[in-house]
Amino acid sequence: MATLGKRISRLTPSATMNMTDMAERMRANNAEIIGLVGGEPDYDTADNVKEAGIAAIRANITRYPPTNGREDLRRALSQKLRRDNNLDYPPDQIVVSSGTKPLIHAALMALADLGDEVIVPAPHWVSYPETVRLAGLEPVFVVCPASTGFRLRAEDLAAAITPRTRAVILNSPNNPTGAVYSDEDLRALVEVLLLHPQVWILTDEIYEDICYLDKRPTSIAALDPRIAERVITINGFSKGYAMAGWRLGYAAGPKAAMNAMLTVLGHVMGPCTSISQVAGAEAVSGERSYLEANCRAYQERRDITVAAVNEMPGLSCQTPDGAFFLWGDCAGVIGRRTPGGKIIQSDQDFVAGVMEHAGVVMLAGAPFGMSPYFRMSYSIETTILRRALDRVGAFCRSLA
Ligand code: PLP
């Protein structure tokens, strides 16, 4: 009998996508459902970017582009990396693909061997462990507790590294916690990594444009040329530029690593949509003042959400410095009873209760690697956000 492969049995489907689908289905039946699960901006792709894509179709830019990406986009990205991130990568050290997901997969496939370990700081984006497993590698989780602001501490990184460690995945601003690593945090990590030259650093900077601090988040590769030799900086257009559906991402790093990733991508993905690439070049080089304006709008929603959650009995949270998620602690509701008589025993029970009794969809902390927590996206129109927060608050107050 033909059976499924063993590899797939080690994976779990994306929790975020499952909940987003569930929210959509429930909304189709019941207009009162509010989904606080959105992993993308609630605003549209900018007009100049859309026009560039439309013009590309009209100009018949519809044939196979180069596998590593169009030269004009890679040149624009090279300038962007210098301008925004203090990174110096010529266009031939940049690889473009259909979003950041395939780039993370390609990096792991290209840079590590079966059974190697990859350090995944937790809480983590749900796809990191699964992508690591898909590549035949072992995720090694390092807990970043609330007391560290959910940021990886140098001593915890040092303790997790073994001779089998091949890579560490960093993500700042972070999904799900919104934590942003300071220069000091990153320098401490660099000091540890300099002692372990076999370790690659994959840094996912996809939320860089949604940061509430006074300065842009620092790219670890910009801190020290000795570390830059083994950093793969990964970024994409799905968040700040609101281009999730255009499927566009890029990686920059040492030439040999880029070539190896390209070999993987060349067979698995092929090049990324030519039209999206033309639009992407306009996004990074053209009018971008909306990035700052949208970030300030998110900051207002963040403040509303943080204040509301910290008022809810049994819940608490820190103030996130970036991304559009609130990472809340729900330890205080564990053991309490819902109006339906169910005892809340886990964060999964808590979000299930919120969905059932408040009609609000959020995600449990478990798939992000930390419990009892929950993730609430505030990438949603402010009046709807307020309504959702009122309902979650009422649910928490109704617990016995
Ligand atoms: N990295 C992080 C941390 C994310 O949160 C997401 C999307 O949710 C991605 C990568 C995937 O982005 P893309 O749409 O570029 O594949």
Side-chain angles (χ1 to χ4, degrees), residues 337-367:
R337 188 180 300 114
T338 70
K342 193 158 186 265
I343 303 288
I344 297 176
Q345 284 169 341
S346 65
D347 48 19
Q348 308 269 17
D349 286 352
F350 172 62
V351 299
V354 170
M355 180 138 69
E356 186 185 342
H357 296 280
V360 174
V361 188
M362 354 191 262
L363 296 175

Side-chain angles (χ1 to χ4, degrees), residues 18-74:
N18 282 349
M19 288 299 272
T20 310
D21 291 350
M22 198 187 297
E24 284 306 321
R25 277 199 304 275
M26 292 180 74
R27 194 173 292 120
N29 296 329
N30 177 350
E32 283 303 291
I33 292 290
I34 302 176
L36 300 186
V37 287
E40 64 179 313
D42 62 323
Y43 51 89
D44 295 321
T45 304
D47 285 343
N48 60 318
V49 176
K50 287 192 281 202
E51 291 305 327
I54 292 164
I57 297 175
R58 294 228 160 86
N60 291 313
I61 302 181
T62 52
R63 299 181 188 275
Y64 278 132
T67 308
N68 60 341
R70 286 171 55 88
E71 169 82 24
D72 54 357
L73 174 56
R74 286 181 295 106

Side-chain angles (χ1 to χ4, degrees), residues 90-141:
D92 70 348
Q93 285 182 235
I94 297 172
V95 170
V96 171
S97 190
S98 306
T100 59
K101 280 188 176 181
L103 290 159
I104 297 167
H105 178 64
L108 293 168
M109 292 294 282
L111 305 177
D113 290 309
L114 285 182
D116 283 347
E117 294 172 356
V118 177
I119 294 178
V120 180
H124 51 72
W125 178 44
V126 290
S127 287
Y128 295 142
E130 307 308 320
T131 314
V132 168
R133 292 190 183 106
L134 194 58
L137 313 172
E138 295 298 328
V140 172
F141 299 103

